[in-house]
């Protein structure tokens, strides 16, 4: 397709675009990223978003660029820079929701002005006939900071006249007034105006004509297409007439301005707001306090965020409208891949992804310049012909995927990505937990549990915490969604004489229990057939819910099971079957947000046994994984999704890869950790305050704090400016963590006294003073975990780059990055320093050689250049040997000797080429008292890598050091000694050559 066909990235680099990092900024670093070995940037959403957005997921308009990030010219300059370096772009798109607060979303404004008759009503998932009768054909808009009456009488709601239309303003929010209700404003004091102008005056006659026209406008509940068209036509005519009259008649302008003043009321005169109150009661929207959303919201949201309204992308018109701009970028070759945000939020992810692939194929084909079928000149006919071609390809090759697409999908434990999704894989959260677990010492699980329990002075069960927190979320954040779902189910139960006696209350309770026990984010039933995978999850969930709730009749759970499994009686009509399928698909869209809010955003801040395991998609109760399990998952991916994305840090991770790498070291030294906890608790006991009869911080918060500091402690002295910034970041994180845990404080009900007490505790224990014994004691302890963390971080980086899949580097993480959860991980990145470091490494290698360069970065490892060196060498080697990594076989290797458990190794091979990847793990016991890296014979002793498939003619070159390694015989087996492999650098990427004389120069681009 003329160079615009399928492009597979070699390695991606995530960039977070916002006003502080623009298209122009990105264009400047493209040469650096190319030198680093990156093939494609992986861009955060950059379509028009809410002003000041740091992440871009609060999109206002899918068909224009975010002006805060740059102009179309700036964007094209970025694309030019990419293409000049033979690089591409993966774009992050948001199909599930839009920002609907403030102003700027034209679709939402149209709905607020026109209600059910809006041409955009189909865009949003709105229940126009909700449980609360007062919201019939209306939308709850929960934007107020206080109760409606209080806000109204404080004069915070204002009516304004703009460009021929009336609007309600509330700070940054702007809501349109229904044109039909303009007459309420325009008829106040109309008699006085008539006397002023006389009834025969043209201006007065025009105003009265406008008022008459307003009365004849069709209602917002009108659904007849002709009447809707009439409404749209006539209301705009009225606005133009009213604006013309306002601009050309001083009397009319004064009249309208004075009426607005009357409507906007007088402070301290409650009755003066009656007119505005009456006007607001006639609108499509019902403005309310933001907390009302918990129980009465009648539009689907993104999770529990009121400002993000879900869109019905399953509607073909909505799909086309919201993807038109993206498809243009595909057609012109400006983007080469897509990342789909929150795929689980879609009603039918599989169908959406299939339509997306088809749309990309059509646009790529059109953009390729290939001749179109004869007689198919019209646009629609052309697209139909291309779609027919695509369908024929799919019939011949069902697994065909024309465009590189990955989906954000959280997989739990042994869960697999649905096979029918036409994507290359997930965005890599599964790999994050896979590779992270490799550096947790599973043999210490019980002793670590004991340490946590004793420090807490009671046991925290993770599964119980998940169950409780999911129920809490359903109670305090998403009860409206649960109530709506239960009413749907109640209507279904009324259709059968055997189920009609189930009460609404029993259905609500049972739905809550089923969702609280649901083991995965969601199921994927999209037809009257339920997959075996989904069937097993549902059966398992119902059994567990029954056991936990003996007081609830099992027949209610059986009914829910039969509905979810789409078990139909012979007498059931097609409409009744469809109603059940509709319920199932609604149910599936709710379980995911509740899982995310209950687990990731609550339980993960409550269960703190080893917080490096508390990662998105992780299972904190699973204390590490073995090398065998790691290899098994790599083999599985190599077979089924060899081009899935591999991540170690993302914009959503709870902790950066380097923070987790440090914290994981604690799993190797439980007794030392236990002693440290005991000392620090005693040293800091005097600093704790008592709030509401309880010490602040609590034991659990203190336990979390110490681990967090271990992971994020900077490479500087306590009196440095950087340490002051670190102290501030720790306080901001702990404030967020406490509120997310929802135990002593929360976002909804902040406990300021307790929060202040914890902030004081942190300030005091991190204060650099001669009397602060803790600071120096902790600093010495942290040096051990920092040293072990360096080894872990380098190992996991190499594993990510060389394992089956496409490695992604999160912005800035090519150097040490000790960031915590957002917004901490979205701080500006110093690319000037990174570019300088890389230039110096390239120059150093050219001048002094690879081995001396490796020795230098090892000797100065705290500045992060050692990680940059590994990333650069591994990525550029990968880019030069793409086939080996994208299609090569994966073979776990056996390690023998005294420290065999401290090594993970595998081979990648294709045709006659192969590489070895060798990384250390759990190396604290191998490190000396001065925390030197585990290098050389004195450390590794007789540990060796067995290579039974090699020959004596084989030799290997270390990509990081340039060293040449020859195989040796040990007890009749060919092997490489770890003492040689890891003599100069803490992990190894080895390229094989069968004859020394044929060894080429180091691979490059």
């Amino acid at each position: 397709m003329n160079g615009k066909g399928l492009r597979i990235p070699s390695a991606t680099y995530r960039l977070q675009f916002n006003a502080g990092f623009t298209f122009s900024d990105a264009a400047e670093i493209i040469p650096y990223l190319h030198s680093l070995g990156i093939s494609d940037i992986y861009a955060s959403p950059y379509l028009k978003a809410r002003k000041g957005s740091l992440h871009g997921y609060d999109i206002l308009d899918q068909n224009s660029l975010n002006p805060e990030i740059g102009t179309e010219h700036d964007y094209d300059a970025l694309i030019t820079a990419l293409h000049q370096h033979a690089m591409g772009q993966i774009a992050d798109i948001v199909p599930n929701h839009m920002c609907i607060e403030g102003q700027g979303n034209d679709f939402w404004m149209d709905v607020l002005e026109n209600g059910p008759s809006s041409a955009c009503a189909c865009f949003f998932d709105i229940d126009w006939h909700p449980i609360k009768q007062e919201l019939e054909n209306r939308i709850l808009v929960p934007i107020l900071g206080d109760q409606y009456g209080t806000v109204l009488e404080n004069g915070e709601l204002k009516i304004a006249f703009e460009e021929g239309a009336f609007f309600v303003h509330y700070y940054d929010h702007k809501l349109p007034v229904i044109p039909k209700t303009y007459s309420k404003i325009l008829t106040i004091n109309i008699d006085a105006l008539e006397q002023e102008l006389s009834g025969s005056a043209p201006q007065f006659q025009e105003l009265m004509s406008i008022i008459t026209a307003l009365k004849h406008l069709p209602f917002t509940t009108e659904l007849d297409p002709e009447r809707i068209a009439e409404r749209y036509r006539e209301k705009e005519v009225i606005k133009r007439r009213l604006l013309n009259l306002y601009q050309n008649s001083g009397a009319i302008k004064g009249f309208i301005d004075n009426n607005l003043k009357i409507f906007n009321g007088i402070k301290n005169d409650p009755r003066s707001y009656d007119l505005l109150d009456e006007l607001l009661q006639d609108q499509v929207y019902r403005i309310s306090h933001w907390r009302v959303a918990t129980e009465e919201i009648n539009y689907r949201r993104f999770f529990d965020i009121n400002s993000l309204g879900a869109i019905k992308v399953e509607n073909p018109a909505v799909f086309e409208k919201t993807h038109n701009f993206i498809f243009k970028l595909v057609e012109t070759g400006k983007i080469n891949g897509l990342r789909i945000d929150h795929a689980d939020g879609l009603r039918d992810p599989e169908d959406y992804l299939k339509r997306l692939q088809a749309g990309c194929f059509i646009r790529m084909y059109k953009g390729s310049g290939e001749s179109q079928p004869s007689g198919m000149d019209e646009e629609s006919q052309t697209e139909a012909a291309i779609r027919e071609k695509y369908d024929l390809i799919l019939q011949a090759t069902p697994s065909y995927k024309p465009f590189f697409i990955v989906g954000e999908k959280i997989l739990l434990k042994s869960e697999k990505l649905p096979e029918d999704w036409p994507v290359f894989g997930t965005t890599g959260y599964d790999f994050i937990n896979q590779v992270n677990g490799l550096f947790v010492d599973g043999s210490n699980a019980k002793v670590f549990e004991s340490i946590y329990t004793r420090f807490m002075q009671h046991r925290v069960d993770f599964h119980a915490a998940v169950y409780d927190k999911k129920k809490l979320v359903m109670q305090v954040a998403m009860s409206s969604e649960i109530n709506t779902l239960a009413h749907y189910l109640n209507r279904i139960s009324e259709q059968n004489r055997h189920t009609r006696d189930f009460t609404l209350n029993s259905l609500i309770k049972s739905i809550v229990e089923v969702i609280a026990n649901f083991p995965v984010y969601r199921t994927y039933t999209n037809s009257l057939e339920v997959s075996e995978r989904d069937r097993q999850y549902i059966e398992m969930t119902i059994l567990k819910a029954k056991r936990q709730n003996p007081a609830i009749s099992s027949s209610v759970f059986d009914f829910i099971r039969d509905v979810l499994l789409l078990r139909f009686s012979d007498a059931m009509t097609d409409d009744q079957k469809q109603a059940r399928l509709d319920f199932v698909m609604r149910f599936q869209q709710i379980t995911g947000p509740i899982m995310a809010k209950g687990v990731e955003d609550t339980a993960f801040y409550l269960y703190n046994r080893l917080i490096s395991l508390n990662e998105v998609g992780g299972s904190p109760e699973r204390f590490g994984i073995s090398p065998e399990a790691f290899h098994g998952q790599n083999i599985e991916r190599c077979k089924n999704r060899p081009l899935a994305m591999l991540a170690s840090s993302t914009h959503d991770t709870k902790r950066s890869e380097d923070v987790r790498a440090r914290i994981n070291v604690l799993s190797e030294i439980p007794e030392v950790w236990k002693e440290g906890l005991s000392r620090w608790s005693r040293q800091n006991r005097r600093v704790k305050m008592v709030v509401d009869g309880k010490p602040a911080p609590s034991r659990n918060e203190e336990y979390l704090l110490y681990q967090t500091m271990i992971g994020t402690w900077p490479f500087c002295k306590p009196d440095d400016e950087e340490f002051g910034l670190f102290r501030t970041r720790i306080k901001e994180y702990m404030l967020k963590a406490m509120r997310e845990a929802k135990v002593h404080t929360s976002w909804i009900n902040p406990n300021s006294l307790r929060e202040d007490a914890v902030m004081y505790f942190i300030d005091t224990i991190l204060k650099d003073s001669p009397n602060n014994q803790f600071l120096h004691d902790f600093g010495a302890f942290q040096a051990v975990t920092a040293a072990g963390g360096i080894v872990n971080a380098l190992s996991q980086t190499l594993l990510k780059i060389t394992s089956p899949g496409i490695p992604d580097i999160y912005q800035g993480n090519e150097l040490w990055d000790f960031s915590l959860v957002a917004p901490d991980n979205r701080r500006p990145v110093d690319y000037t320093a990174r570019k300088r470091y890389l230039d110096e490494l390239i120059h150093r290698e050219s001048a002094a050689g690879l081995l001396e360069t490796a020795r230098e970065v090892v000797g100065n490892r705290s500045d992060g250049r050692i990680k940059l060196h590994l990333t650069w060498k591994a990525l550029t080697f990968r880019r030069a040997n793409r086939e080996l990594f994208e299609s090569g076989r994966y073979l776990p290797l056996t390690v023998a000797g005294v420290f065999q458990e401290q090594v993970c190794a595998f081979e990648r091979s294709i045709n006659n080429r192969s590489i070895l990847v060798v990384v250390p793990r759990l190396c604290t016991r191998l490190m000396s008292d001065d925390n030197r890296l585990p290098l050389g014979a004195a450390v590794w002793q007789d540990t060796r890598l067995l290579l039974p498939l090699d020959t004596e003619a084989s030799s290997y070159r270390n990509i990081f050091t340039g060293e040449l390694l020859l195989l040796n015989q040990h007890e009749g087996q060919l092997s490489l000694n770890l003492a040689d492999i890891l003599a100069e650098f803490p992990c190894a990427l080895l390229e094989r050559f069968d004859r020394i004389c044929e060894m080429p120069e180091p691979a490059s681009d």
Side-chain angles (χ1 to χ4, degrees):
M1 291 187 182
N2 198 27
K4 295 179 182 176
L6 175 63
R7 173 193 169 92
I8 301 297
S10 169
T12 60
Y13 190 96
R14 174 71 175 196
L15 293 175
Q16 292 294 125
F17 285 101
N18 50 56
F21 186 82
T22 65
F23 296 136
S24 297
D25 295 323
E28 289 183 7
I29 66 169
I30 295 305
Y32 159 73
L33 295 179
H34 179 262
S35 296
L36 185 63
I38 299 299
S39 70
D40 295 69
I41 64 168
Y42 167 27
S44 68
Y46 48 64
L47 302 183
K48 185 178 179 181
R50 178 192 290 193
K51 185 177 180 180
S53 175
L54 293 177
H55 48 75
Y57 289 99
D58 41 5
I59 287 176
L60 292 169
D61 181 3
Q62 295 96 338
N63 290 300
S64 63
L65 297 170
N66 189 338
E68 292 188 339
I69 298 175
T71 64
E72 187 173 346
H73 174 78
D74 298 330
Y75 181 74
D76 287 343
L78 170 59
I79 301 303
T80 298
L82 287 169
H83 291 174
Q84 286 174 345
H85 290 83
M87 293 174 65
Q89 176 194 181
I90 311 299
D92 191 346
I93 63 172
V94 188
N96 178 69
H97 58 268
M98 296 180 71
C99 178
I100 58 173
E101 279 192 357
Q103 46 191 298
N105 188 326
D106 293 339
F107 299 152
W108 186 249
M109 292 288 279
D110 194 273
V111 172
L112 295 184
E113 184 181 41
N114 299 292
S117 71
S118 167
C120 299
C122 65
F123 275 64
F124 300 96
D125 200 348
I126 301 168
D127 184 358
W128 294 106
H129 312 291
I131 301 164
K132 189 177 179 67
Q133 292 183 353
E134 291 85 348
L135 290 174
E136 178 72 16
N137 288 316
R138 301 180 73 189
I139 308 170
L140 186 76
V141 179
I143 58 175
L144 304 180
D146 205 336
Q147 299 297 325
Y148 166 73
T150 301
V151 171
L152 178 72
E153 294 176 9
N154 281 342
E156 297 173 63
L157 295 169
K158 299 286 188 182
I159 298 288
F161 183 72
E162 303 171 19
E163 299 300 316
F166 293 99
F167 294 90
V168 179
H169 286 266
Y170 175 69
Y171 298 103
D172 292 336
H173 300 279
K174 179 179 177 181
L175 310 175
V177 173
I178 298 174
K180 197 173 184 68
T181 63
Y182 288 3
S183 56
K184 286 184 175 290
I185 302 171
L186 298 177
T187 54
I188 295 292
N189 295 326
I190 192 72
D191 293 341
L193 178 65
E194 183 178 12
Q195 291 181 1
E196 178 184 349
L197 290 174
S198 83
S200 60
Q203 304 99 313
F204 185 78
Q205 292 280 326
E206 172 67 357
L207 179 61
M208 293 306 296
S209 175
I210 289 172
I211 293 173
T212 300
L214 288 169
K215 293 179 181 178
H216 289 91
L217 279 177
F219 290 98
T220 57
T221 54
E222 183 62 69
L223 299 181
D224 178 74
E226 291 186 4
R227 293 284 284 164
I228 290 175
E230 177 188 342
R231 173 185 169 80
Y232 269 90
R233 182 181 64 251
E234 296 303 320
K235 72 181 180 66
E236 295 306 314
V237 170
I238 290 171
K239 290 178 185 178
R240 290 194 295 271
R241 291 172 64 190
L242 189 58
L243 178 61
N244 182 64
L245 190 59
Y246 183 86
Q247 292 175 333
N248 293 292
S249 171
I252 297 296
K253 181 180 184 301
F255 169 74
I256 291 176
D257 289 346
N258 187 63
N259 284 0
L260 288 176
K261 186 176 181 181
I262 294 171
F263 265 79
N264 287 327
I266 303 170
K267 199 74 177 286
N268 299 320
D269 181 3
R271 306 312 306 174
S272 67
Y273 295 97
D274 288 353
L275 288 173
L276 179 54
D277 181 35
E278 291 175 11
L279 179 69
L280 292 175
Q281 300 311 312
D282 289 339
Q283 301 310 306
V284 166
Y285 44 85
R286 175 170 175 164
I287 309 175
S288 74
H289 187 211
W290 63 270
R291 293 192 181 188
V292 175
T294 298
E295 297 182 2
E296 296 184 359
I297 196 96
N298 64 323
Y299 61 85
R300 187 166 60 85
R301 303 168 287 177
F302 172 73
F303 291 10
D304 61 344
I305 303 174
N306 299 336
S307 61
L308 299 179
I311 56 177
K312 300 176 70 173
V313 74
E314 63 270 16
N315 183 311
V318 178
F319 178 87
E320 290 299 326
K321 185 71 173 179
T322 56
H323 289 73
N324 184 53
F325 186 70
I326 288 295
F327 283 150
K328 286 181 180 178
L329 298 182
V330 171
E331 182 175 341
T332 53
K334 294 180 179 180
I335 59 175
N336 312 100
L338 295 171
R339 182 258 194 194
I340 310 306
D341 178 63
H342 190 44
D344 275 348
L346 303 174
R347 181 175 174 88
D348 187 349
E350 178 188 334
D351 178 68
Y352 167 79
L353 292 167
K354 287 180 176 178
R355 286 186 289 136
L356 187 64
Q357 283 284 15
C360 289
F361 179 90
I362 290 169
R363 293 308 183 103
M364 285 193 299
Y365 198 98
K366 290 174 66 178
S368 69
E370 293 188 21
S371 60
Q372 307 299 341
S374 59
M376 302 292 283
D377 296 331
E378 294 295 327
E379 182 78 10
S380 60
Q381 292 177 320
T382 300
E383 291 198 2
I386 300 173
R387 178 57 193 255
E388 185 177 347
K389 179 184 181 75
Y390 178 64
D391 290 340
L392 289 173
I393 295 175
L394 280 183
Q395 288 177 21
T397 313
S399 62
Y400 174 64
K401 295 183 284 287
F403 202 66
F404 185 78
I405 298 177
V406 290
E408 185 204 29
K409 167 59 189 166
I410 309 304
L411 301 172
L412 298 181
K413 295 182 181 177
S414 59
E415 185 184 8
K416 296 180 181 179
L417 192 67
E419 293 181 2
D420 292 334
W421 284 19
V423 296
F424 284 83
T426 71
T427 52
Y429 291 105
D430 42 341
F431 182 79
I432 289 176
N433 292 286
Q434 172 193 348
V435 74
N436 183 67
L438 186 64
F439 299 95
V440 174
D441 191 343
S443 66
N444 289 324
K446 289 185 178 179
V447 65
F448 229 81
E449 179 68 26
S450 176
I451 292 170
Y452 182 42
T453 300
R454 289 183 180 180
F455 190 85
M456 285 283 291
Q457 299 175 351
H458 67 87
R459 184 171 182 270
V460 179
D461 181 87
F462 177 69
H463 292 290
V466 168
Y467 171 79
D468 290 338
K469 295 307 180 181
K470 287 174 73 175
K471 290 182 70 172
L472 178 66
V473 166
M474 286 184 272
Q475 176 188 348
V476 304
M478 302 186 71
S479 62
S480 177
E481 285 85 348
I482 297 300
N483 290 337
T484 299
L485 197 64
H487 275 78
Y488 272 98
L489 189 60
N490 185 59
R491 287 200 289 269
I492 292 173
S493 72
E494 291 290 339
Q495 295 172 354
N496 189 291
R497 67 177 70 130
H498 297 290
T499 57
R500 71 176 191 179
D501 286 344
F502 294 148
T503 65
L504 178 61
N505 190 47
S506 68
L507 292 174
I508 291 174
K509 288 182 178 179
S510 299
I511 287 174
V512 166
E513 290 299 325
V514 169
I515 294 177
N517 282 287
F518 219 70
V520 290
Y521 278 71
R522 63 167 285 174
T523 51
Y524 297 97
T525 300
N526 57 10
S527 68
L528 298 182
E529 295 292 328
V530 179
S531 70
E532 183 58 30
R533 165 196 182 276
D534 291 351
R535 188 179 305 279
Q536 290 179 5
Y537 286 136
I538 293 166
E539 294 275 16
M540 180 196 318
T541 301
I542 296 299
L543 283 173
K544 194 170 183 179
K546 281 183 177 180
R547 292 194 194 105
Q548 286 186 326
N549 297 276
I552 299 179
S553 172
S554 63
S555 61
V556 180
F557 288 118
D558 290 340
F559 168 62
I560 295 176
R561 177 200 62 205
D562 291 345
V563 171
L564 293 177
L565 292 177
L566 297 177
R567 292 177 176 171
F568 305 135
S569 67
D570 293 338
M572 208 168 287
T573 66
D574 288 344
D575 286 344
Q576 290 173 332
K577 293 177 181 179
Q578 191 59 43
R580 292 189 174 214
L581 176 59
D582 182 62
F583 171 84
V584 170
M585 298 185 78
R586 290 175 180 274
F587 176 88
Q588 292 175 151
Q589 286 181 288
I590 288 177
T591 56
I594 292 171
M595 175 73 84
K597 295 299 297 180
V599 180
E600 298 169 25
D601 294 344
T602 308
F604 276 2
Y605 291 93
L606 177 70
Y607 182 79
N608 297 316
R609 181 178 62 170
L610 186 67
I611 59 174
S612 55
L613 297 174
N614 295 15
E615 196 47 81
V616 178
S619 303
E621 78 283 10
R622 185 181 181 185
F623 204 82
I625 67 171
S626 66
E628 292 74 22
F630 175 82
H631 291 313
Q633 292 177 41
N634 270 355
I635 292 170
E636 171 84 13
R637 191 183 321 105
C638 191
K639 178 182 177 181
N640 296 315
R641 304 274 184 177
L643 300 175
M645 187 174 280
L646 306 183
S648 45
S649 287
T650 77
H651 61 285
D652 273 337
T653 43
K654 302 299 182 184
R655 295 160 188 87
S656 74
E657 57 199 58
D658 297 331
V659 171
R660 291 194 305 272
R662 285 176 162 188
I663 295 171
N664 284 338
V665 175
L666 296 178
S667 71
E668 304 176 51
I669 52 172
E671 292 304 323
V672 182
W673 167 239
K674 176 183 176 182
E675 293 168 3
L677 282 171
S678 180
R679 287 197 312 277
W680 306 329
S681 182
R682 289 195 307 271
Q683 291 165 355
N684 297 330
R685 187 178 301 152
R686 60 181 177 80
V687 185
K688 286 189 178 184
M689 294 183 180
V690 176
V691 180
D692 298 328
K694 297 178 181 179
S698 67
R699 303 282 288 182
N700 202 22
E701 291 162 350
E702 189 177 4
Y703 194 90
L704 169 64
L705 174 62
Y706 294 145
Q707 288 187 79
T708 301
M709 293 194 302
I710 281 169
T712 54
W713 200 270
F715 287 115
C716 69
K717 296 179 180 179
D719 58 353
D720 288 352
E721 181 181 352
E722 183 183 354
F723 197 86
L725 297 175
F726 163 71
R727 187 187 301 115
T728 299
R729 290 174 50 226
I730 291 294
K731 290 195 295 182
E732 291 173 348
Y733 170 77
M734 285 301 297
L735 181 62
K736 177 171 182 172
M738 290 188 297
R739 290 181 176 179
E740 295 284 22
K742 304 173 185 67
V743 176
H744 303 292
T745 186
S746 69
W747 296 107
I748 295 177
N749 292 304
N751 185 334
S752 59
L753 288 177
R754 184 173 187 87
E755 292 173 353
D756 289 345
V758 175
M759 298 304 104
Y760 169 79
F761 179 86
I762 296 171
D763 269 330
T764 305
I765 69 172
L766 292 181
K767 184 177 182 180
D768 184 26
S769 69
N771 299 325
N772 189 356
Q773 183 181 357
F774 164 78
L775 187 66
H776 303 287
D777 184 0
F778 190 88
F781 178 94
Q782 193 276 336
V784 176
T785 56
I790 286 175
V791 180
N792 289 348
L794 295 174
S795 294
Q796 71 178 353
T797 300
L798 182 57
L799 291 175
K800 176 179 68 176
I801 294 172
T802 56
S803 291
I806 308 297
D808 174 60
I809 310 297
Y810 183 70
Q811 60 175 30
N813 276 236
E814 60 271 32
L815 291 180
W816 299 134
D817 183 274
F818 303 113
S819 295
L820 294 162
V821 71
D824 193 59
N825 62 6
R826 292 171 184 161
R827 288 171 294 146
V829 177
D830 185 353
Y831 285 110
T832 301
R834 284 161 174 77
K835 184 180 184 301
R836 184 178 72 251
Y837 280 160
L838 183 56
D839 288 344
E840 290 172 354
L841 286 175
I842 295 172
H843 177 75
R844 177 69 174 170
E845 181 185 331
S846 176
L850 194 52
L851 181 57
E852 285 305 312
T853 304
R855 287 172 175 168
E856 179 180 331
V857 296
V858 167
N860 298 279
R861 52 192 173 276
S862 63
D863 64 14
R865 287 183 301 150
I866 188 172
K867 188 180 182 186
L868 179 64
H869 176 74
L870 181 149
T871 303
W872 162 52
K873 298 304 294 184
L875 286 180
T876 51
F877 180 82
R878 178 190 172 100
R879 185 170 61 191
N881 298 273
R882 294 189 58 149
E883 185 183 16
L884 177 65
F885 290 96
E886 293 175 12
S887 307
R889 293 178 294 276
Y890 182 96
L891 176 67
L893 296 176
T894 301
V895 182
V898 63
F899 293 123
Q900 59 183 317
E901 294 301 320
Q902 272 64 51
V903 181
C904 177
F906 58 83
E907 178 185 69
R908 301 297 305 275
S909 62
I910 191 167
N911 300 328
N912 238 358
R913 307 219 37 231
S914 70
I915 55 135
L916 306 182
V917 177
V918 185
V919 302
R921 59 185 289 268
L922 312 181
C923 286
T924 304
R925 61 184 290 197
L926 305 182
M927 301 180 73
S928 58
D929 292 339
D930 59 0
N931 296 322
R932 284 180 293 178
L933 297 180
L935 301 174
V939 172
W940 291 104
Q941 301 178 34
D942 71 339
T943 311
R944 59 199 180 279
L945 185 65
L946 304 183
L947 300 169
L949 301 181
D950 277 14
T951 69
E952 292 184 355
S954 297
S955 60
Y956 287 87
R957 181 175 63 85
N958 191 322
I959 300 301
F960 302 129
T961 66
E963 297 168 286
L964 179 65
L965 304 178
L966 303 178
L967 273 66
N968 53 66
Q969 286 275 359
H970 184 91
E971 298 179 353
Q973 293 179 309
L974 287 173
S975 63
L976 285 175
N977 293 327
L978 262 293
D980 297 327
I981 296 174
L982 303 181
E984 301 285 353
F985 201 76
C987 46
L989 173 57
L990 308 175
E991 184 179 19
R992 191 189 79 195
F993 300 101
D994 287 336
R995 292 180 179 85
I996 298 175
C997 62
E998 293 182 359
M999 189 176 78
E1001 292 299 315
S1004 68
D1005 292 299

